[in-house]
Amino acid sequence: MQIYDYKVVKINADIVDGKVVLESAGPLSIAVKPMIQKINTVFQEEKPISVTDDKIIFSTWIPEIPGPVFNRMIHSQIGFSLLNKRTPDQLSVGVTPRCPNKCIHCGAADMMAPNNEMTVEEIKSTINQALDLGTYLITIDGGEPMVRNDLSEIVGNIDKTKTTVSMFTSGFRLNGERAEALKNAGLNSVKISFDSADPEVHDKFRGRKGAFEGAVGAVKAAKDAGIMTDMYLTISPYNIDNIDDLYQTAADLGMDEMSMTGIIAVGNWKEHEDEVLTRADAKRLEAFHKNKNSVSEGPRVTALPYLMGPDMFGCFAGSRWMHIASTGDALPCPYTPLSFGNIRTAPLSKIWSDIGKHPAYKKQSSVCLMRDPEFRQKYIHTIPKDAVLPYYSGPKQS
C-alpha cells in the first residue's frame, strides 16, 4: 500500500511474514534510503500491535499506517535526514502541577509551580503552534492530568488530522465515564504508570494507598472505551529485576504495549546520581525489548533507553522533542530543567529556534544529555536547588 507521496519521494508499505517493510521510489529515493533502512530495521525486529488488510498499528508512539499523521511523520524524517531540519516531532504538555501522588522518583517535582496552571486557550494555542512546526505526537502530561475536569475539552481541541494524542496518567480518576469522554474527544492511547506488580510495593513508590488498584481500574476502563493502553515503567535499580513480572501483569490485563524509560537524577531523584541505570542495564532492557518483540504473543515492548540511545535514533530532547511545563515554560524534554522561554510571552517558533542555538542542542546527541556528567556540571549543577522556573533564558549562556 502507498503510505507517502510527496513530490520527489514515494513510500510504499508491504506486510511480509507479518512484518512491515517500507520501500522508497522517486528521484530522491536513494537519498532517503538510509533513513528507510533504519526504520525497516525496527519494523523487522519488532512486532506491531495489530495488522489488518488496510491498517497497521505499530506502536502507541507511532501514527497509524497509512494516514495523514503518518505522512507528517515521514515528511519530518525526510526533512531531518536530508536537510538536518529540526522538527519538534513530539510535544508533551504538562496541563497541571496538581497530583494526588507523592512519587519517590517524580522527575517533575522541581518544575511545578503551585497555582500556575495554563488555561484551555493557552494549551490550545501552544498545541496549534506546535502543529504548525510539524509536530505529529502530542502527549498530555502533568502532574496528574486527570485532576482537570476540562481534560476532554483540551483533547477535543486538538486537530487529529495532524497528530495523534496520548496521555500519561497514574490512573487516578480514570473511570469508565471519563474514558468514554476522552475516547469521544479523540484520545488515541493512554500511558498508565506502574512501578511494581506487587500492589503494596507500587503504592509505596506512589506514596498513595490504592494507587495500584486505581491503575488496574484505569486500564480496564480505557480498554472498554477503545483507547489503546501502554504500561509505562520508570526503570531504576529498584525494579529492573522485576520487569518480567510487570510484563506478565501487562499481558494479563490485555494491554497493547509496555514502554520502559530509565530513571534520571532529577526532581525527587536529583540527589541519587549513583542510583540510575548503567550501560549494562540499558543493554539488558534492549535484550528484553528484542526478545519480547520476537514472538507474537503478549504486548509489544518499547525500551526507550535502547531506541533513543547511541545504537539507534539518539536522544530526542531539543532536536525532536519539546516539553511545555504546567507553568508555560518550554524545556528540551520533561527531565531537563532548562527553560528557553514561556509560551505566555514568546511564540513557540522562536522558543524552538532558541533551543537549536544552544551549544548542547545544535546537533542531536547520541545519548541522553541528562546522563552526561559534563552537561550536568555545566548547565544543571549551577541551578540553585530551590530555584523555580525559568531557570535559564535561552542561548545567552555558552
Side-chain angles (χ1 to χ4, degrees):
M1 68 183 81
Q2 187 171 89
I3 59 172
Y4 183 78
D5 184 357
Y6 183 77
K7 297 180 180 177
V8 291
V9 177
K10 301 180 189 298
I11 297 177
N12 294 317
D14 292 315
I15 305 299
V16 179
D17 296 328
K19 302 290 186 178
V20 183
V21 179
L22 301 184
E23 294 184 353
S24 60
L28 283 183
S29 61
I30 294 177
V32 302
K33 189 174 182 179
M35 180 268 292
I36 295 295
Q37 286 178 331
K38 183 169 282 191
I39 294 175
N40 274 337
T41 297
V42 175
F43 284 170
Q44 285 300 296
E45 291 181 350
E46 304 176 20
K47 63 187 175 192
I49 288 176
S50 67
V51 177
T52 63
D53 290 340
D54 59 353
K55 182 171 66 175
I56 303 163
I57 299 177
F58 188 76
S59 166
T60 59
W61 298 93
I62 294 178
E64 180 181 298
I65 309 170
V69 183
F70 186 76
N71 286 358
R72 283 168 64 87
M73 188 193 94
I74 294 296
H75 188 69
S76 173
Q77 306 313 307
I78 290 174
F80 188 81
S81 176
L82 295 184
L83 306 173
N84 199 29
K85 180 184 177 183
R86 297 172 58 257
T87 298
D89 296 348
Q90 177 177 348
L91 182 82
S92 47
V93 183
V95 297
T96 181
R98 294 176 285 157
C99 186
N101 306 302
K102 296 180 176 61
C103 300
I104 62 175
H105 53 14
C106 179
D110 283 348
M111 306 180 202
M112 299 298 187
N115 304 316
N116 191 357
E117 193 171 270
M118 289 184 289
T119 66
V120 171
E121 284 304 315
E122 286 173 331
I123 295 168
K124 178 180 178 181
S125 173
T126 300
I127 291 175
N128 284 341
Q129 290 179 67
L131 297 183
D132 288 342
L133 292 172
T135 297
Y136 56 82
L137 175 59
I138 300 291
T139 52
I140 304 299
D141 205 347
E144 170 53 68
M146 293 300 299
V147 302
R148 285 193 69 140
N149 293 325
D150 54 6
L151 195 57
S152 295
E153 181 182 358
I154 291 171
V155 174
N157 282 332
I158 302 171
D159 187 346
K160 314 308 184 304
T161 67
K162 295 181 178 179
T163 184
T164 58
V165 184
S166 187
M167 181 180 73
F168 289 102
T169 178
S170 65
F172 179 74
R173 289 182 60 192
L174 183 51
N175 56 28
E177 181 181 355
R178 297 200 75 190
E180 285 287 348
L182 287 167
K183 174 64 176 179
N184 292 336
L187 186 68
N188 181 63
S189 65
V190 61
K191 301 183 180 301
I192 302 174
S193 301
F194 280 78
D195 295 300
S196 173
D198 183 325
E200 186 176 342
V201 175
H202 175 89
D203 289 0
K204 186 176 180 180
F205 267 91
R206 295 279 142 181
R208 180 171 62 87
K209 189 174 181 179
F212 183 87
E213 182 181 358
V216 170
V219 172
K220 294 176 179 178
K223 282 175 56 64
D224 288 346
I227 299 171
M228 286 195 294
T229 56
D230 180 12
M231 176 181 280
Y232 192 78
L233 313 178
T234 298
I235 303 297
S236 73
Y238 294 93
N239 64 0
I240 191 169
D241 291 333
N242 300 319
I243 54 177
D244 283 296
D245 292 338
L246 283 157
Y247 185 82
Q248 187 60 53
T249 299
D252 291 343
L253 291 172
M255 300 184 76
D256 298 293
E257 191 160 17
M258 182 175 113
S259 294
M260 301 180 289
T261 189
I263 199 164
I264 297 174
V266 68
N268 285 347
W269 209 255
K270 65 186 174 185
E271 305 296 342
H272 300 265
E273 290 186 46
D274 58 340
E275 295 181 275
V276 294
L277 299 188
T278 64
R279 180 64 177 154
D281 291 330
K283 296 299 288 185
R284 181 176 172 183
L285 296 183
E286 175 186 340
F288 185 87
H289 169 114
K290 291 181 177 179
N291 175 263
K292 295 301 182 183
N293 287 330
S294 67
V295 296
S296 59
E297 298 81 12
R300 67 161 276 107
V301 170
T302 295
L304 296 172
Y306 162 55
L307 291 176
M308 298 176 70
D311 297 329
M312 289 301 289
F313 297 100
C315 180
F316 284 7
S319 63
R320 317 284 285 272
W321 184 6
M322 180 166 41
H323 178 73
I324 308 300
S326 60
T327 56
D329 285 281
L331 321 174
C333 81
Y335 310 107
T336 307
L338 298 178
S339 174
F340 284 81
N342 192 290
I343 57 93
R344 289 167 171 149
T345 57
L348 202 63
S349 57
K350 181 182 185 305
I351 293 172
W352 182 242
S353 176
D354 285 347
I355 293 176
K357 295 174 185 176
H358 184 274
Y361 299 105
K362 284 183 178 179
K363 292 184 179 180
Q364 183 180 11
S365 174
S366 63
V367 297
C368 171
L369 288 174
M370 286 296 290
R371 304 181 195 279
D372 181 348
E374 183 177 344
F375 173 86
R376 291 184 69 100
Q377 185 63 42
K378 189 170 185 179
Y379 299 111
I380 307 301
H381 288 177
T382 56
I383 298 171
K385 292 182 179 180
D386 58 350
V388 176
L389 288 176
Y391 298 135
Y392 177 65
S393 58
K396 293 180 182 178
Q397 294 183 1
S398 63

